[in-house]
Amino acid sequence: MPVGTQGTVKAVAQDVLESLGAEIILGNTYHLYLRPGHEAIRRMCGLHRFMSWPRALLTDSGGFQVFSLNALRKVSDDGVRFRSHLDGSSHFFTPEHSMEVQIALGADIAMAFDECTEYPAERGRAEESLRLTMAWARRSLDHFRAHRDEVVWGNDRNGEAFEGRTQSLFGIVQGGMFGDLRRQCAERLVEMDFDGYAIGGLSVGEPRELTLEMIAEVLPLLPKDKPRYVMGVGYPDEIEQYARMGVDMMDCVLPTRAARHGLLFTSEGRLNIKNKQYAEDQAPPDPACNCMVCRRYSRAYLRHLMQAGEALSGTLNTIHNLAYYLSIMKRVRASLQSQDG
Ligand SMILES: [Zn+2]
């Protein structure tokens, strides 16, 4: 899932995302709540309509940004008080409020409000964080079930109604890097019966073997007939590995963020387009890639755009990286389907 933090996958227009085959993208609750505001988006019939994206959307709970962008946040059992990174104004997020904001945004998938345990964290700290996450999961679910029919589905830009769509809520497994805490969390969440399950709090600075170990601990406990989502991963080889383990969904800012810094993921490995060696390189960014960028432009041209600080640079680099990531998942899907058959 490409990440569209502010209601946009940075530098790439929605029709291009559609042509790349992106079926679902992410929006960030924290950012959209602060600007333009969830009530404004509700009045405009929801995020689908506002950003003109008729395909699936997922919003996060806002928790991760509250924790990562706010050094001065204050956590209590009730919720989190934090200051806006935009204007310093004070805000209070509770599980109920996160649900209200996500119902107003009206994505297909909303996420339970959780506390992302930092890394490294001592066992005591991870236990306390897990206690909060589980209490907040219960409150998120109760509020969501009571209000989910308030989603305004509106219609798309052509006036066609988003008929038959309902919002789903996923629970998030936390527990730091402690396998038993992770398992305990997964079991409790499955008892609560969410529509899908995410494994959060990974890719927060821990070594990759540990990420893998935590996924392997949790995955077998999550129902196979519901989506299983690992949040915030990863490099191209990681997403392939996790998908083959049974992970159904992943999101990561890496392909888009790295692209804007000139880092391209290719079938030949990582390519830093800023390097001088590409100054007169007429080859496409990735000779094995059939995306609209690789079909049309050379490494030399992409390097020139980057050196000149041209806006098209971020756009073209991002389109290629997304095409590359989506092609990995397409290949894995095809190979899993042929195994099944
Ligand atoms: Zn390409």
Side-chain angles (χ1 to χ4, degrees):
M1 297 181 287
V3 176
T5 306
Q6 309 262 16
T8 160
V9 174
K10 286 190 199 303
V12 182
Q14 277 69 323
D15 59 327
V16 178
L17 294 170
E18 285 171 1
S19 68
L20 288 171
E23 294 294 338
I24 174 168
I25 60 178
L26 248 79
N28 278 123
T29 293
Y30 169 86
H31 290 285
L32 295 168
Y33 157 79
L34 289 177
R35 183 177 59 194
H38 61 292
E39 290 298 354
I41 291 179
R42 194 207 305 265
R43 286 192 295 273
M44 293 184 278
C45 293
L47 188 55
H48 284 283
R49 172 69 182 266
F50 178 57
M51 66 182 286
S52 188
W53 178 257
R55 294 185 182 174
L57 277 171
L58 181 150
T59 48
D60 62 2
S61 70
F64 185 75
Q65 271 77 27
V66 167
F67 291 100
S68 59
L69 294 173
N70 294 274
L72 298 175
R73 66 186 183 268
K74 202 166 174 346
V75 183
S76 62
D77 275 15
D78 200 26
V80 189
R81 180 163 296 285
F82 62 95
R83 285 192 181 279
S84 159
H85 72 290
L86 296 175
D87 62 7
S89 55
S90 178
H91 301 263
F92 190 60
F93 249 57
T94 62
E96 291 78 12
H97 188 47
S98 170
M99 293 304 106
E100 275 167 34
V101 174
Q102 292 187 77
I103 288 168
L105 296 175
D108 302 82
I109 301 170
M111 301 299 298
F113 192 63
D114 64 330
E115 193 195 37
C116 180
T117 315
E118 68 284 354
Y119 178 82
E122 304 273 326
R123 188 175 174 94
R125 159 71 195 137
E127 280 172 348
E128 172 57 19
S129 173
L130 185 61
R131 184 186 66 79
L132 266 187
T133 285
M134 290 199 287
W136 289 356
R138 181 75 257 168
R139 284 167 55 190
S140 295
L141 190 60
D142 290 346
H143 191 90
F144 179 79
R145 283 182 176 157
H147 297 274
R148 70 193 306 177
D149 57 349
E150 292 166 18
V151 175
V152 181
W153 287 100
N155 45 38
D156 71 13
R157 66 188 182 282
N158 300 318
E160 288 195 31
F162 291 122
E163 265 177 67
R165 280 165 99 149
T166 52
Q167 194 173 38
S168 299
L169 183 68
F170 286 15
I172 306 177
V173 177
Q174 293 284 352
M177 300 301 155
F178 301 92
D180 62 319
L181 296 184
R182 289 267 175 189
R183 288 195 302 276
Q184 188 190 330
C185 186
E187 280 161 6
R188 295 273 295 276
L189 293 178
V190 171
E191 282 165 21
M192 292 184 210
D193 195 22
F194 282 88
D195 301 311
Y197 300 90
I199 308 177
L202 296 177
S203 234
V204 288
E206 79 280 9
R208 197 163 142 180
E209 310 82 74
L210 209 45
T211 318
L212 190 62
E213 194 185 316
M214 291 301 118
I215 296 174
E217 286 276 359
V218 172
L219 216 48
L221 302 173
L222 302 178
K224 276 207 176 80
D225 58 347
K226 289 185 175 178
R228 302 185 289 187
Y229 164 26
V230 176
M231 305 178 84
V233 292
Y235 284 96
D237 55 327
E238 284 181 282
I239 64 168
E240 174 155 5
Q241 185 178 21
Y242 303 151
R244 289 187 187 283
M245 288 166 70
V247 174
D248 303 299
M249 303 165 65
M250 288 169 270
D251 74 282
C252 194
V253 293
L254 196 57
T256 43
R257 183 179 289 164
R260 298 195 303 280
H261 291 101
L263 184 65
L264 302 180
F265 296 100
T266 77
S267 57
E268 297 169 351
R270 294 179 210 174
L271 185 155
N272 190 339
I273 201 68
K274 285 178 291 193
N275 286 352
K276 196 156 187 290
Q277 69 185 99
Y278 303 120
E280 296 189 22
D281 189 337
Q282 294 296 293
D286 182 352
C289 178
N290 193 35
C291 83
M292 59 184 85
V293 176
C294 292
R295 283 202 311 266
R296 183 155 191 166
Y297 303 104
S298 66
R299 293 170 180 177
Y301 182 63
L302 292 189
R303 178 175 187 272
H304 163 71
L305 291 179
M306 183 104 208
Q307 295 297 108
E310 284 293 331
L312 186 60
S313 167
T315 298
L316 297 185
N317 292 348
T318 304
I319 291 173
H320 164 75
N321 274 356
L322 288 177
Y324 184 70
Y325 264 66
L326 291 165
S327 75
I328 294 171
M329 299 315 291
K330 205 172 164 184
R331 178 161 48 78
V332 174
R333 261 197 302 275
S335 108
L336 292 177
Q337 272 159 6
S338 68
Q339 279 172 28
D340 283 352

